[in-house]
Amino acid sequence: QPQSSATKHACVGLAESSLLSFTEATTGACRDSERQRACQDVLAREALPTLLNAIPGEGCARACQIHAIISELGGSNVSGVSFTAFLRAFIVTQPESSVLNVWASPWDTYELPDVAEGCAEGDQHFNPRLRAEQWRSRIRLRRLTRRDFGSWNLFRLWLYRAFGNDFRVYVSVRRLSDMIRFKLLDTHGGIYIDSDILLLRDLTSLCNSTFLYPWGSLDADNNAVIGSPKNGPFVAEFIRQAGNSPLAYHPLKWRKVAGKNIEDWPTRIPVMVFDPLWLKDSGLDSRDPAEYPFDTEMDFAKKSIQPLHTREDAFPASLGYHWHGGFGSIPSDPSPGSMFAQLHNMGCTKPA
């Protein structure tokens, strides 16, 4: 049902309050990038369960719009098990009223794969969420418009394509993606996620709040995951400051571009919530490290691990896993015992 402006405002306030409680519970334990054991423990035992069990206020939907930008321009074809895994993870972890918007450029021609590919649909344990009539209404392939790109940016992209300069196309698409995710959140609200993030749990409790996670151990922002309500003040003001200049939207430049003109920046949640291996893989979490199922990001689809019984077993302190490297970094035949393969195959089966 349509929400009144008062209800929307109240829902944003409740989401921000819940987020504040979450960060207050984790800040102390997660501050030291070389000692992440305490952070993992607090997140898994207290902070995440409390956040996930938060009850929406009256009139606030238990649903969220999630956005991803996926394009073949200047790069390899969008296909394969990694694309299917990204979509399937959304279907099996998010409420049935939540929607994933997959945004493509005007020139992209790919289609959505069948998220049930490789599953035994006739099996009695087959996950009914993967039936075509169920998932196709929840994943929407949508086209970016001139407004999203900006006329000059769109013309330059057309020009690079006309002259066959794939490298320039590829670089432009990456830079434009930083800008377009702001515009999508400003117009629609919700949560933007990079397409090399495999979701593990429900993100709904974060919807309507303005958040991100930091750039590793740096005092800097990261835009691999960023949430904002529709017309949120941070996103709207940053767009006013940066305009249609793609370079201004690189997260390491945000504070320089608009630092003096924005008072309320997104709340930073712990890196471990969406990128649990980043600090370990960077050689930082070494003095009192968290427990990790493998050592490097490359092991995600290549190294066999102990059998997982639930998605939560993969990373108990995380809502998702950012594997970095895009679809192309996942081999076409991932190791059957790897975390990637286990999580992907687990989605075929309905929860116990």
Side-chain angles (χ1 to χ4, degrees), residues 87-89 91-92 114-117 119 121 126-136 344-349:
L87 301 179
R88 185 185 296 176
I91 290 296
V92 302
D114 180 4
V115 301
E117 184 177 354
C119 300
E121 296 194 41
F126 177 72
N127 192 335
R129 287 190 174 198
L130 301 187
R131 300 193 189 284
E133 64 270 20
Q134 295 288 332
W135 73 262
R136 288 194 179 277
H344 186 45
N345 293 332
M346 192 180 296
C348 292
T349 306

Side-chain angles (χ1 to χ4, degrees), residues 196-197 213 222 224 275 278 297 321-327 329-330:
D196 52 1
I197 292 175
Y213 69 89
N222 182 11
D275 216 327
W278 196 0
E297 292 168 351
Y321 175 67
H322 189 187
W323 74 75
H324 296 267
F327 293 152
S329 64
I330 301 294

Side-chain angles (χ1 to χ4, degrees), residues 2 33 45 48 59 71 76 134 144 151 163 231 235 265 280 289 309 318 325:
S33 59
R45 294 178 182 271
L48 275 184
S71 179
S76 57
Q134 295 288 332
L144 296 166
S151 297
F163 282 94
N231 304 130
V235 167
W265 287 80
K280 165 75 171 177
H309 300 290
S318 306

Side-chain angles (χ1 to χ4, degrees), residues 15-235:
E16 292 290 355
S17 177
S18 179
L19 179 63
L20 177 61
S21 297
F22 176 74
T23 55
E24 287 176 344
T26 58
T27 298
C30 297
R31 181 180 291 114
D32 191 339
S33 59
E34 296 183 340
R35 296 178 174 86
Q36 288 290 290
R37 184 182 300 274
C39 179
Q40 186 179 57
D41 186 63
V42 167
L43 282 167
R45 294 178 182 271
E46 303 172 22
L48 275 184
T50 300
L51 179 70
L52 292 168
N53 292 326
I55 300 174
E58 184 176 355
C60 303
R62 187 74 186 181
C64 193
Q65 286 210 62
I66 298 178
H67 308 275
I69 300 169
I70 300 177
S71 179
E72 295 179 324
L73 294 187
S76 57
N77 291 337
V78 174
S79 62
V81 66
S82 51
F83 189 14
T84 304
F86 171 71
L87 301 179
R88 185 185 296 176
F90 164 79
I91 290 296
V92 302
T93 60
Q94 305 307 300
E96 294 188 24
S97 49
S98 289
V99 171
L100 172 62
N101 298 294
V102 176
W103 295 92
S105 80
W107 296 284
D108 282 309
T109 59
Y110 68 84
E111 297 181 352
L112 298 178
D114 180 4
V115 301
E117 184 177 354
C119 300
E121 296 194 41
D123 189 281
Q124 62 176 337
H125 300 296
F126 177 72
N127 192 335
R129 287 190 174 198
L130 301 187
R131 300 193 189 284
E133 64 270 20
Q134 295 288 332
W135 73 262
R136 288 194 179 277
S137 63
R138 299 182 55 207
I139 301 179
R140 301 171 183 172
L141 182 58
R142 307 179 67 173
R143 298 290 171 186
L144 296 166
T145 66
R146 182 186 299 272
R147 177 188 178 280
D148 300 315
F149 284 98
S151 297
W152 175 239
N153 292 323
L154 195 62
F155 173 74
R156 285 196 301 183
L157 198 55
W158 173 84
L159 198 63
Y160 294 148
R161 290 189 74 253
F163 282 94
N165 194 331
D166 287 342
F167 175 74
R168 285 289 185 185
V169 171
Y170 174 74
V171 171
S172 296
V173 168
R174 288 180 64 88
R175 291 172 176 172
L176 285 165
S177 172
D178 288 335
M179 178 185 74
I180 291 170
R181 65 193 69 184
F182 269 72
K183 294 192 175 185
L184 294 176
L185 290 174
D186 186 47
T187 302
H188 305 282
I191 299 173
Y192 168 87
I193 62 172
D194 276 353
S195 58
D196 52 1
I197 292 175
L198 201 71
L199 295 178
L200 301 171
R201 289 180 174 88
D202 182 5
L203 305 187
T204 310
S205 296
L206 288 173
C207 216
N208 281 320
S209 63
T210 303
F211 74 94
L212 43 69
Y213 69 89
W215 193 287
S217 62
L218 300 180
D219 180 20
D221 302 303
N222 182 11
N223 64 358
V225 178
I226 178 170
S228 171
K230 182 178 179 179
N231 304 130
F234 165 71
V235 167

